Every structure is written in C-alpha cells, then in structure tokens.
Amino acid sequence: MDQTVSSLTPTGIVVNIQHFCTNDGPGIRTTVFLKGCGNRCKWCCNPETIHPKPELAYNRSKCIGAKACGRCLQAPAPEGAFYVIADTDDRVHVNWDLVSDAETEVASLCPSEAIHLFGEVMTVDQVLEEVEQDAAFYRESGGGITLSGGECLLQPAFSATLLMEAHRRGINTAIETAGNVPWAFMERVLPHVDTVLHDHKLTDPERHKKWIGVDNKRILANYKRAYEAYPDKQFIARTPVIPGVNDGEEHIRSVLAFIAPYKNVIDYQLLPYHRYGEAKYGFLGRVYELEDFERPTPESLARLQSIIDEAFGRTSPTGA
Ligand code: SF4
C-alpha cells in the first residue's frame, strides 16, 4: 500500500460492496454502492443509499428481546425512541420520529445486528483491498469495478480518486449514474471511467418530476455533453421498466432518438422492475409506495426489446 497516497486520499460513505455482479458493466464486476442521491424514484430498490449520511435501520425479526438483551433501551437516545409494548412479545419497537442521525452509535450496542447502520466511511485503499480479491475474475471475464449507489457522482472526489487508483492498478472501471448532478462532478469523474451506464427513466419532464422528484432537463443536458466530451468512452443507456409508468413504446423510441447521433452509446438496456428492495423500506421506517405494482410481463419486455434490437441492427433473441 502506498502510504503517502493513502493518507491524502478522500474517504467515501459506502453502503455495500457486492461481488460477482454480471449486470453492472462488462464481465464479472465488483459493485461498490455509495450513499446519497438527489432523485426520489418511487420504485428505488436501494432506499438505504438515498440519504447522504450513515443511517440507522432496524430489522425486528433479528431482535433477541428486551429481557434477554435490552441494550438499546439503555442507549443514549431520546426517551421512547426504542420501546417495548406490554403484553406482546418483548422484541423492541422503534419510534422513527425520535431517531435521528445522532443515534447511529446505538447500532454498535446491538449484539444481533437487529439495529444496524447503512453506510460506512471507507478509504480508497480499503475499498480496493476488497475489490482486488476478485482480480482473477476480472482477468478471465473482462470485468472490473463498478461504482453505483445512490448516485456515485455525488461523492466526486472519492469516486474520481478511487477510479483513478483502480486504473493505476490495471482494473477496468464503470459507473452507474442517473445523471442528476452538477456537470463539474461528471467532469471530475468521467476521465477515470471506461463504461458509463446511465439511466433514461422518463421522457416527459413533468412525468419525470412526478415519479422521480426532479425534471430531466439537467440530466439530459449532462448526458449530451458527456457523449460529446468523451468520444472514447463507452456509454450504455438503460431504462428501469415500470409498468404503467414508462413501459410504452414512445419512451423507448424517444431514448433511441436521443442517443442515435452518438456512436459511443453502444447499447440501450432494459431493467425490469422488481421489488427486491421492499423490505428495506420497513427497516428504515419508511413506506414503500408501489405496493400495487407488478413486474413487467415477458411479452411487454420482448416488444420493447425488439424495438431496441431493430435500432441497433441486430436480431432479437426473443424473435419478436
Ligand atoms: S439491542 Fe438489539 S437485540 Fe438487544 S433488545 Fe435492542 S434491538 Fe433487540
């Protein structure tokens, strides 16, 4: 380890490092999820990455009970933040209105990790030490590191330094971005990125605002500028397909028209909506708003995929 570089590099807030990912860029990849996002997509499957700081979460099924433990009830926190209800099982409840960032130390008291923290401050070297465990798989598959989130570009100094150092160690780099950041942040990180996976969630600015919390003007301006400023990078456009929100042909054709002039946009991928992140909303004391939403059908995905395949001049594997 280069001690001089290590002591000077910025730290980042990391939620998770996931190994053997196959949908986050070329080959087998190690995906590093960073905290903080400016969007509020109602279908977000990583709600623990939205808030920029480490935050407390609680999985009640893991609590071993107030009688057997009860450490959180003695913790330095506002009265009533953690409590038990008489005449029920004695596992603890959390009053989320009373829990704040200041209580994050309570997580260290909980022996069963029922109370835990999403988000850890890490150095570039700490992240790369874990990422490099998968180096053999990168060599075999053409994979590497992918920064995701949250919005990894909202930690520009950390992301840029991490990816620059990954490159120096011979590791291929990719990012997943939703593009809602100042251009200066993109400009700082993109020189160190090989593949940019970027979301086109909705075309209409008003509907974008309704479902994502912000309109898409800055996002589209950033993408256009990035395509033009970095002709040698690989860009892959992506749409999370949410039935009833953006699963119409109109959006797909609009994205294809947007990317058509740019030869460095090498693909457009569809990401079917899923609900794998739903339980995490409960762990964070939040409500998942899309309880009535279903996954897109194979037929609707095949129909949209055939439009993309035709635009890229290839035959759809579905034959559609
Ligand atoms: S510290 Fe953890 S295991 Fe112990 S009572 Fe509280 S939530 Fe349950």
Side-chain angles (χ1 to χ4, degrees):
M1 186 172 74
D2 182 334
Q3 200 60 47
T4 310
V5 169
S6 174
S7 59
L8 292 175
T9 55
T11 56
I13 300 183
V14 177
V15 176
N16 185 26
I17 299 178
Q18 197 167 315
H19 299 265
F20 308 116
C21 302
T22 54
N23 294 311
D24 298 341
I28 296 171
R29 310 197 69 86
T30 308
T31 302
V32 181
F33 293 86
L34 302 187
K35 225 165 173 330
C37 184
N39 292 343
R40 293 295 179 268
C41 305
K42 293 188 187 298
W43 52 82
C44 180
C45 60
N46 294 320
E48 75 281 19
T49 64
I50 294 173
H51 192 282
K53 297 275 176 57
E55 65 190 314
L56 213 61
Y58 178 53
N59 181 349
R60 191 165 181 269
S61 68
K62 288 187 169 182
C63 174
I64 57 180
K67 291 194 189 76
C69 172
R71 292 188 194 178
C72 56
L73 302 174
Q74 314 299 326
E79 190 177 351
F82 302 93
Y83 63 98
V84 287
I85 300 176
D87 300 329
T88 64
D89 71 55
D90 77 337
R91 287 180 295 176
V92 163
H93 293 263
V94 176
N95 183 336
W96 291 103
D97 291 337
L98 297 177
V99 171
S100 71
D101 288 352
E103 278 80 54
T104 52
E105 64 196 76
V106 179
S108 63
L109 302 174
C110 181
S112 67
E113 297 185 350
I115 301 172
H116 57 280
L117 266 191
F118 282 127
E120 179 187 353
V121 177
M122 295 185 78
T123 65
V124 165
D125 283 317
Q126 284 172 327
V127 172
L128 286 178
E129 196 175 311
E130 184 160 348
V131 166
E132 285 190 310
Q133 292 170 9
D134 301 333
F137 298 101
Y138 307 152
R139 280 193 294 274
E140 287 291 318
S141 69
I145 182 175
T146 299
L147 298 191
S148 183
E151 173 54 69
C152 64
L153 294 178
L154 285 178
Q155 297 189 47
F158 179 68
S159 293
T161 311
L162 176 56
L163 296 178
M164 183 171 56
E165 181 62 12
H167 265 170
R168 198 185 68 78
R169 299 184 192 193
I171 301 171
N172 178 278
T173 66
I175 63 166
E176 293 180 329
T177 179
N180 182 23
V181 298
W183 169 251
F185 292 7
M186 280 207 158
E187 203 174 26
R188 184 155 188 189
V189 178
L190 259 51
H192 312 295
V193 181
D194 297 311
T195 305
V196 181
L197 302 135
H198 58 293
D199 283 356
H200 286 263
K201 299 177 199 286
L202 274 160
T203 302
D204 178 71
E206 285 308 312
R207 295 194 71 233
H208 197 284
K209 192 167 186 178
K210 173 185 169 186
W211 288 100
I212 287 121
V214 292
D215 73 36
N216 55 358
K217 289 185 190 131
R218 175 163 78 164
I219 295 167
L220 294 179
N222 276 341
Y223 290 163
K224 195 161 184 265
R225 202 165 169 184
Y227 300 158
E228 288 167 359
Y230 301 100
D232 298 331
K233 308 287 181 192
Q234 289 192 136
F235 291 84
I236 298 176
R238 304 200 304 184
T239 289
V241 179
I242 322 294
V245 176
N246 62 358
D247 60 341
E249 291 186 19
E250 191 184 321
H251 175 58
I252 304 300
R253 291 192 191 283
S254 160
V255 174
L256 287 168
F258 185 83
I259 64 179
Y262 305 101
K263 297 300 161 228
N264 49 347
V265 186
I266 62 164
D267 203 356
Y268 178 24
Q269 299 174 347
L270 302 177
L271 308 172
Y273 165 70
H274 62 74
R275 298 169 64 151
Y276 301 143
E278 188 174 350
K280 291 184 281 191
Y281 283 80
F283 298 161
L284 291 159
R286 297 186 209 153
V287 173
Y288 185 66
E289 292 184 41
L290 302 192
E291 281 199 339
D292 298 332
F293 279 60
E294 300 293 338
R295 290 172 60 94
T297 63
E299 293 74 24
S300 69
L301 286 170
R303 180 174 45 85
L304 300 178
Q305 186 64 51
S306 69
I307 296 169
I308 295 171
D309 289 337
E310 187 184 346
F312 277 86
R314 61 195 179 212
T315 306
S316 168
T318 62

mmCIF file of all heavy atoms in Angstrom, residues 84-100:
data_model
loop_
_atom_site.group_PDB
_atom_site.id
_atom_site.type_symbol
_atom_site.label_atom_id
_atom_site.label_comp_id
_atom_site.label_asym_id
_atom_site.label_seq_id
_atom_site.Cartn_x
_atom_site.Cartn_y
_atom_site.Cartn_z
ATOM 1 N N VAL A 84 -40.726 -1.197 24.210
ATOM 2 C CA VAL A 84 -41.445 -2.473 24.065
ATOM 3 C C VAL A 84 -42.915 -2.216 24.410
ATOM 4 O O VAL A 84 -43.237 -1.288 25.161
ATOM 5 C CB VAL A 84 -40.876 -3.578 24.995
ATOM 6 C CG1 VAL A 84 -39.533 -4.063 24.499
ATOM 7 C CG2 VAL A 84 -40.769 -3.078 26.424
ATOM 8 N N ILE A 85 -43.774 -3.039 23.837
ATOM 9 C CA ILE A 85 -45.210 -2.923 24.109
ATOM 10 C C ILE A 85 -45.590 -4.027 25.085
ATOM 11 O O ILE A 85 -45.330 -5.217 24.823
ATOM 12 C CB ILE A 85 -46.027 -3.038 22.809
ATOM 13 C CG1 ILE A 85 -45.631 -1.918 21.845
ATOM 14 C CG2 ILE A 85 -47.521 -2.996 23.100
ATOM 15 C CD1 ILE A 85 -46.300 -1.980 20.491
ATOM 16 N N ALA A 86 -46.188 -3.626 26.208
ATOM 17 C CA ALA A 86 -46.565 -4.605 27.238
ATOM 18 C C ALA A 86 -47.520 -5.646 26.665
ATOM 19 O O ALA A 86 -48.317 -5.350 25.771
ATOM 20 C CB ALA A 86 -47.220 -3.871 28.409
ATOM 21 N N ASP A 87 -47.434 -6.860 27.190
ATOM 22 C CA ASP A 87 -48.324 -7.971 26.822
ATOM 23 C C ASP A 87 -48.174 -8.422 25.368
ATOM 24 O O ASP A 87 -49.086 -9.022 24.805
ATOM 25 C CB ASP A 87 -49.800 -7.623 27.086
ATOM 26 C CG ASP A 87 -50.043 -7.316 28.554
ATOM 27 O OD1 ASP A 87 -49.330 -7.900 29.393
ATOM 28 O OD2 ASP A 87 -50.900 -6.478 28.846
ATOM 29 N N THR A 88 -47.063 -8.064 24.747
ATOM 30 C CA THR A 88 -46.771 -8.633 23.421
ATOM 31 C C THR A 88 -45.418 -9.316 23.549
ATOM 32 O O THR A 88 -44.847 -9.365 24.645
ATOM 33 C CB THR A 88 -46.682 -7.538 22.333
ATOM 34 O OG1 THR A 88 -45.567 -6.694 22.635
ATOM 35 C CG2 THR A 88 -47.953 -6.708 22.290
ATOM 36 N N ASP A 89 -44.888 -9.855 22.445
ATOM 37 C CA ASP A 89 -43.529 -10.376 22.553
ATOM 38 C C ASP A 89 -42.618 -9.202 22.900
ATOM 39 O O ASP A 89 -42.969 -8.041 22.660
ATOM 40 C CB ASP A 89 -43.097 -11.080 21.243
ATOM 41 C CG ASP A 89 -42.854 -10.109 20.108
ATOM 42 O OD1 ASP A 89 -42.049 -9.188 20.296
ATOM 43 O OD2 ASP A 89 -43.455 -10.272 19.030
ATOM 44 N N ASP A 90 -41.486 -9.492 23.533
ATOM 45 C CA ASP A 90 -40.722 -8.359 24.085
ATOM 46 C C ASP A 90 -39.629 -7.852 23.149
ATOM 47 O O ASP A 90 -38.684 -7.210 23.569
ATOM 48 C CB ASP A 90 -40.167 -8.705 25.476
ATOM 49 C CG ASP A 90 -38.947 -9.601 25.423
ATOM 50 O OD1 ASP A 90 -38.772 -10.305 24.392
ATOM 51 O OD2 ASP A 90 -38.171 -9.584 26.389
ATOM 52 N N ARG A 91 -39.842 -8.136 21.839
ATOM 53 C CA ARG A 91 -38.900 -7.528 20.904
ATOM 54 C C ARG A 91 -39.170 -6.020 20.784
ATOM 55 O O ARG A 91 -40.326 -5.581 20.836
ATOM 56 C CB ARG A 91 -39.005 -8.202 19.535
ATOM 57 C CG ARG A 91 -38.406 -9.603 19.534
ATOM 58 C CD ARG A 91 -38.515 -10.246 18.192
ATOM 59 N NE ARG A 91 -39.901 -10.471 17.820
ATOM 60 C CZ ARG A 91 -40.279 -10.958 16.652
ATOM 61 N NH1 ARG A 91 -39.376 -11.264 15.737
ATOM 62 N NH2 ARG A 91 -41.558 -11.136 16.377
ATOM 63 N N VAL A 92 -38.105 -5.297 20.574
ATOM 64 C CA VAL A 92 -38.144 -3.832 20.636
ATOM 65 C C VAL A 92 -38.849 -3.233 19.412
ATOM 66 O O VAL A 92 -38.815 -3.812 18.325
ATOM 67 C CB VAL A 92 -36.692 -3.314 20.760
ATOM 68 C CG1 VAL A 92 -36.572 -1.839 20.415
ATOM 69 C CG2 VAL A 92 -36.174 -3.585 22.165
ATOM 70 N N HIS A 93 -39.479 -2.100 19.603
ATOM 71 C CA HIS A 93 -40.008 -1.274 18.512
ATOM 72 C C HIS A 93 -39.178 0.013 18.430
ATOM 73 O O HIS A 93 -38.539 0.406 19.407
ATOM 74 C CB HIS A 93 -41.463 -0.903 18.765
ATOM 75 C CG HIS A 93 -42.397 -2.076 18.720
ATOM 76 N ND1 HIS A 93 -43.128 -2.411 17.607
ATOM 77 C CD2 HIS A 93 -42.696 -3.007 19.666
ATOM 78 C CE1 HIS A 93 -43.852 -3.485 17.859
ATOM 79 N NE2 HIS A 93 -43.614 -3.864 19.106
ATOM 80 N N VAL A 94 -39.237 0.660 17.274
ATOM 81 C CA VAL A 94 -38.519 1.929 17.084
ATOM 82 C C VAL A 94 -39.519 3.025 16.745
ATOM 83 O O VAL A 94 -40.390 2.828 15.886
ATOM 84 C CB VAL A 94 -37.484 1.818 15.941
ATOM 85 C CG1 VAL A 94 -36.803 3.162 15.684
ATOM 86 C CG2 VAL A 94 -36.440 0.762 16.267
ATOM 87 N N ASN A 95 -39.424 4.146 17.415
ATOM 88 C CA ASN A 95 -40.197 5.330 17.045
ATOM 89 C C ASN A 95 -39.314 6.185 16.134
ATOM 90 O O ASN A 95 -38.419 6.899 16.594
ATOM 91 C CB ASN A 95 -40.592 6.115 18.306
ATOM 92 C CG ASN A 95 -41.472 7.313 17.950
ATOM 93 O OD1 ASN A 95 -41.440 7.818 16.832
ATOM 94 N ND2 ASN A 95 -42.266 7.756 18.910
ATOM 95 N N TRP A 96 -39.582 6.076 14.821
ATOM 96 C CA TRP A 96 -38.690 6.727 13.853
ATOM 97 C C TRP A 96 -38.736 8.243 13.939
ATOM 98 O O TRP A 96 -37.810 8.921 13.500
ATOM 99 C CB TRP A 96 -39.036 6.253 12.430
ATOM 100 C CG TRP A 96 -38.682 4.812 12.234
ATOM 101 C CD1 TRP A 96 -39.533 3.751 12.227
ATOM 102 C CD2 TRP A 96 -37.368 4.264 12.073
ATOM 103 N NE1 TRP A 96 -38.835 2.577 12.069
ATOM 104 C CE2 TRP A 96 -37.512 2.864 11.961
ATOM 105 C CE3 TRP A 96 -36.093 4.814 12.003
ATOM 106 C CZ2 TRP A 96 -36.414 2.014 11.796
ATOM 107 C CZ3 TRP A 96 -35.002 3.974 11.832
ATOM 108 C CH2 TRP A 96 -35.176 2.586 11.724
ATOM 109 N N ASP A 97 -39.800 8.781 14.518
ATOM 110 C CA ASP A 97 -39.865 10.245 14.665
ATOM 111 C C ASP A 97 -38.851 10.753 15.688
ATOM 112 O O ASP A 97 -38.506 11.932 15.713
ATOM 113 C CB ASP A 97 -41.268 10.675 15.118
ATOM 114 C CG ASP A 97 -42.300 10.467 14.019
ATOM 115 O OD1 ASP A 97 -41.887 10.428 12.844
ATOM 116 O OD2 ASP A 97 -43.489 10.323 14.338
ATOM 117 N N LEU A 98 -38.408 9.845 16.550
ATOM 118 C CA LEU A 98 -37.473 10.264 17.602
ATOM 119 C C LEU A 98 -36.023 9.879 17.292
ATOM 120 O O LEU A 98 -35.098 10.308 17.969
ATOM 121 C CB LEU A 98 -37.877 9.626 18.942
ATOM 122 C CG LEU A 98 -39.251 10.040 19.478
ATOM 123 C CD1 LEU A 98 -39.566 9.299 20.771
ATOM 124 C CD2 LEU A 98 -39.285 11.547 19.725
ATOM 125 N N VAL A 99 -35.841 9.028 16.289
ATOM 126 C CA VAL A 99 -34.491 8.569 15.963
ATOM 127 C C VAL A 99 -33.881 9.514 14.938
ATOM 128 O O VAL A 99 -34.519 9.848 13.946
ATOM 129 C CB VAL A 99 -34.538 7.132 15.394
ATOM 130 C CG1 VAL A 99 -33.182 6.712 14.852
ATOM 131 C CG2 VAL A 99 -34.996 6.153 16.467
ATOM 132 N N SER A 100 -32.665 9.950 15.174
ATOM 133 C CA SER A 100 -32.001 10.835 14.219
ATOM 134 C C SER A 100 -30.594 10.307 13.952
ATOM 135 O O SER A 100 -30.181 9.301 14.515
ATOM 136 C CB SER A 100 -31.902 12.255 14.791
ATOM 137 O OG SER A 100 -30.950 12.265 15.836
#
